[in-house]
Amino acid sequence: TQLLEQSPQFLSIQEGENLTVYCNSSSVFSSLQWYRQEPGEGPVLLVTVVTGGEVKKLKRLTFQFGDARKDSSLHITAAQPGDTGLYLCAGALSNFGNEKLTFGTGTRLTIIP
Amino acid sequence: DAGVIQSPRHEVTEMGQEVTLRCKPISGHDYLFWYRQTMMRGLELLIYFNNNVPIDDSGMPEDRFSAKMPNASFSTLKIQPSEPRDSAVYFCASSLVRGGEQYFGPGTRLTVT
């Protein structure tokens, strides 16, 4: 059983469109991170959210942490081909001392020029 | 800093052979993580160290897998004997603080035939 479920698993859209991907769990996380991974490379951190209801913006990317700290969303406005990649959410659980992250199942995003 | 360094980048071996993967974390980072990534199972945490001490190895698949961190600048993940189902990309990551951003290496793509 996956602790963090991401949806959709795959998403292919045209350049310029908007999209939202989701990260859901039944567990409460102390913090949640979003990573992007490009082919042949390791994941790279995009953002960390800590407070329930928190919203963070990174240029065209908007990240939201659910009020109950069980879920998160990533919204991309006017998608660009450079946004193509595997998006992973990762949560830190307080019962593990917040030392390790549990990664989600991932959303593989393709932006078509 | 050069980032997290992993070697080799690619490894092809026959079933039954011993495989050793190597990792040099970012200098000063107290946490080191070993992950395995496959299409079927996503990114799975195998083991992590804090100040060179193994903290949680509950993700290690079985006794064929072992990991060591003899000093702050070097860690190994060993598989003996290797099996075809071990084929995956293995990532090493390091972190400065508890629950903080994890910096991933480029990964080792392992193929066991």
Side-chain angles (χ1 to χ4, degrees):
Chain A
T1 303
Q2 270 288 358
L3 205 55
L4 274 169
E5 295 284 346
Q6 290 187 241
S7 61
Q9 187 176 359
F10 298 94
L11 182 60
S12 182
I13 64 170
Q14 294 289 136
E15 180 178 358
E17 293 184 356
N18 302 333
L19 67 108
T20 303
V21 299
Y22 300 92
C23 172
N24 294 295
S25 175
S26 57
S27 300
V28 176
F29 292 97
S30 302
S31 64
L32 195 134
Q33 301 176 8
W34 282 91
Y35 290 78
R36 180 169 66 209
Q37 183 179 14
E38 298 188 15
E41 300 180 6
V44 175
L45 180 71
L46 296 173
V47 78
T48 301
V49 285
V50 178
T51 306
E54 182 177 3
V55 176
K56 279 192 174 179
K57 292 192 174 184
L58 185 66
K59 296 184 181 178
R60 293 175 294 99
L61 278 60
T62 301
F63 304 85
Q64 184 162 10
F65 202 12
D67 291 341
R69 291 185 292 141
K70 292 183 179 182
D71 54 84
S72 181
S73 63
L74 158 59
H75 182 79
I76 301 179
T77 303
Q80 306 281 318
D83 297 328
T84 293
L86 176 66
Y87 287 79
L88 295 162
C89 63
L93 289 167
S94 58
N95 56 340
F96 291 113
N98 297 327
E99 286 192 335
K100 66 179 185 180
L101 297 176
T102 300
F103 278 83
T105 50
T107 292
R108 196 166 295 276
L109 175 65
T110 303
I111 308 301
I112 304 166
Chain B
D1 201 314
V4 176
I5 299 172
Q6 290 187 248
S7 64
R9 291 295 310 274
H10 302 274
E11 177 79 38
V12 180
T13 191
E14 291 184 347
M15 182 174 64
Q17 296 297 307
E18 177 179 296
V19 174
T20 299
L21 311 181
R22 297 172 176 80
C23 174
K24 176 178 167 51
I26 294 174
S27 177
H29 282 196
D30 289 338
Y31 291 89
L32 184 140
F33 305 83
W34 281 101
Y35 291 90
R36 178 172 67 177
Q37 187 175 41
T38 61
M39 285 296 292
M40 289 294 293
R41 302 176 66 89
L43 193 63
E44 303 174 279
L45 177 65
L46 300 177
I47 185 171
Y48 79 94
F49 296 81
N50 179 21
N51 292 321
N52 313 337
V53 176
I55 303 299
D56 183 352
D57 65 354
S58 60
M60 296 286 260
E62 48 198 273
D63 292 346
R64 297 185 297 107
F65 286 68
S66 63
K68 294 181 179 180
M69 192 165 186
N71 56 64
S73 60
F74 185 65
S75 177
T76 59
L77 178 67
K78 186 175 294 186
I79 308 173
Q80 166 64 17
S82 59
E83 297 183 3
R85 60 192 167 123
D86 301 331
S87 297
V89 181
Y90 290 81
F91 287 101
C92 174
S94 69
S95 176
L96 181 62
V97 297
R98 172 184 295 180
E101 175 180 3
Q102 293 190 13
Y103 294 80
F104 283 77
T108 295
R109 181 173 295 277
L110 173 65
T111 302
V112 183
T113 60

